[in-house]
Amino acid sequence: MSETSPRLRAVLEGIPTYKPGKPAAAGGPASFKLSSNENPYPPLPGVMESALAAAGTLNRYPDMAATELMNELSERFAVPVSHLATGTGSVGVAQQLLQITAGPGDEVIYPWRSFEAYPIVVRISGAAAVEIPLTPEETHDFDAMADAITERTRLIFVCNPNNPTGTVAHRDELERFLDRVPGDVLVVLDEAYREFNRDLDVPDGIDLYRDRPNVCVLRTFSKAYGLAGLRIGFAIAHEPVATGLRKTAVPFGVSQLAQDAAVASLRSEDELLDRVASLVTERARVVEALRAQGWTVPETQANFVWLRLGERTTDFAEACARAGVVVRPFAGEGVRTTVAEVEANDLFLKAAEKFRQEL
Ligand code: PMP
């Protein structure tokens, strides 16, 4: 066998592999996975029926244009089909957005801490990652983000609500920021958790996109719609961007199961949004209880809560695991916990209270 191995792009060396949230321990004490911001509810029966019906066509390639879904989304959001593109989860679409905008020598700005996939997809593109720390209130520092724009900037991520803090960007600050971004820089409004927002001062990215050709909105079926396992997300953007996304799509990357389940979900939206409403109610209960225990909890508009624990992060995550809940630690920074079913949230609150008392 040859001693040499294929020469890979040097850029790969600095790129971590995406780390998924830990699964819940099998067979252990009641164990809940609160580490990936998933929806605790199983798909609605009608959604499962659609997916099962699509399973009967698995010998065929899916509809590459996702015609039915595109038409459904076009009507629902009042956007032309030519402004829509789907992908293998919104993270797949995010990777394509990098592919069509940035490469070696370019720069991409994003808030940090934010979604763990941003540094990965940026570095894969070969562009330089420009990370702008969150403010002390755990929100986007839009002044610093705008100040960081150079002639090399090609793309900027805004995560609204932000993962993992749950904090939001408000209309005034976001519009002021967009006004400062040159028209040839793409701003990606990642709204993976949009449906959980109840703050009326948070703009709908789709309203912002309409008269701004450099704004792209990213949405997903993974969270509020509960289809994380099917890998389907979409972007809304003006034509050159949406066309670029269609060019860079992995051919047939979005299965017919995913497309049909997404359509069925949109058609059962009322029921799904009722579930979202109950998670929002649980979120308020969890935040209130944590604050009553003495924790500082940033205002969250997503389906998770953020505790900045610093050096105690890993200990806290381990204490939660012993109590039967798997949370998401970011070593040295904090812990993100998904708001899920009452029983899981109760176990988490109990673990948090015990940890606090033992401090
Ligand atoms: N954006 C944000 C902010 C996220 O937190 C996630 C999932 N963790 C995604 C995008 C990707 O979701 P998906 O690829 O499942 O659509």
Side-chain angles (χ1 to χ4, degrees):
M1 249 204 337
S2 160
E3 293 287 294
T4 53
S5 54
R7 196 188 312 173
L8 305 182
R9 289 169 62 213
V11 77
L12 283 176
E13 273 164 39
I15 301 175
T17 308
Y18 184 87
K19 283 194 199 72
K22 266 200 199 164
S31 194
F32 293 94
K33 182 183 176 205
L34 305 181
S35 52
S36 295
N37 300 339
E38 292 153 329
N39 195 314
Y41 298 105
L44 293 172
V47 173
M48 274 199 261
E49 265 167 43
S50 293
L52 282 176
T57 68
L58 283 177
N59 55 317
R60 304 287 177 194
Y61 288 110
D63 172 7
M64 221 178 116
T67 314
E68 210 183 346
L69 176 61
M70 295 290 101
N71 288 336
E72 194 78 27
L73 290 171
S74 163
E75 208 168 293
R76 186 179 183 308
F77 294 116
V79 298
V81 167
S82 61
H83 286 201
L84 285 162
T86 51
T88 53
S90 53
V91 75
V93 183
Q95 189 158 358
Q96 290 175 256
L97 287 167
L98 263 305
Q99 257 183 309
I100 66 172
T101 56
D106 296 329
E107 294 172 357
V108 176
I109 297 171
Y110 53 85
W112 197 250
R113 173 154 295 270
S114 191
F115 181 32
E116 310 91 278
Y118 297 158
I120 297 175
V121 295
V122 171
R123 291 194 180 118
I124 291 171
S125 78
V130 180
E131 299 187 340
I132 305 298
L134 297 175
T135 66
E137 290 76 42
E138 313 275 13
T139 56
H140 286 48
D141 188 341
F142 283 117
D143 287 337
M145 286 173 71
D147 290 344
I149 297 171
T150 71
E151 286 194 349
R152 295 177 169 213
T153 309
R154 297 274 57 90
L155 184 150
I156 303 173
F157 281 112
V158 170
C159 191
N160 200 22
N162 187 52
N163 174 7
T165 56
T167 48
V168 287
H170 291 116
R171 186 172 287 106
D172 289 358
E173 56 178 342
L174 188 46
E175 284 185 349
R176 235 179 300 125
F177 171 70
L178 293 175
D179 289 344
R180 282 188 69 186
V181 179
D184 63 353
V185 175
L186 181 68
V187 181
V188 178
L189 302 178
D190 183 345
E191 298 187 332
Y193 303 97
R194 163 83 198 162
E195 296 83 358
F196 297 96
N197 175 63
R198 291 295 181 269
D199 182 337
L200 297 177
D201 286 335
V202 175
D204 182 333
I206 297 171
D207 293 336
L208 299 175
Y209 125 93
R210 289 192 198 281
D211 57 358
R212 289 179 177 84
N214 68 330
V215 168
C216 168
V217 179
L218 258 190
R219 299 269 178 104
T220 181
F221 284 97
S222 296
K223 309 295 178 182
Y225 293 90
L227 296 178
L230 281 176
R231 313 307 304 126
I232 179 163
F234 63 97
I236 299 178
H238 290 263
E239 245 164 77
V241 174
T243 305
L245 288 174
R246 276 188 288 278
K247 287 183 184 174
T248 50
V250 172
F252 310 112
V254 180
S255 72
Q256 202 62 50
L257 268 75
Q259 293 179 32
D260 291 0
V263 169
S265 297
L266 288 169
R267 290 180 184 157
S268 316
E269 199 170 47
D270 289 351
E271 232 174 308
L272 290 172
L273 293 182
D274 282 348
R275 291 172 160 192
V276 167
S278 70
L279 291 169
V280 167
T281 304
E282 268 302 281
R283 174 179 77 198
R285 183 177 77 88
V286 169
V287 169
E288 200 179 315
L290 286 170
R291 287 184 180 151
Q293 291 173 14
W295 297 99
T296 301
V297 190
E299 204 58 49
T300 172
Q301 293 294 336
N303 63 339
F304 49 82
V305 293
W306 172 244
L307 295 178
R308 195 168 272 285
L309 283 138
E311 295 310 309
R312 290 169 296 156
T313 295
T314 310
D315 289 346
F316 181 88
E318 283 169 3
C320 287
R322 283 194 297 277
V325 283
V326 184
V327 297
R328 180 67 158 261
F330 296 93
E333 292 181 65
V335 164
R336 187 194 71 200
T337 308
T338 308
V339 174
E341 56 272 66
V342 174
E343 191 185 353
N345 301 335
D346 281 345
L347 280 179
F348 167 69
L349 286 172
K350 232 163 114 185
E353 186 170 32
K354 186 158 174 264
F355 190 88
R356 183 110 205 143
Q357 283 163 355
E358 288 168 3
L359 279 184

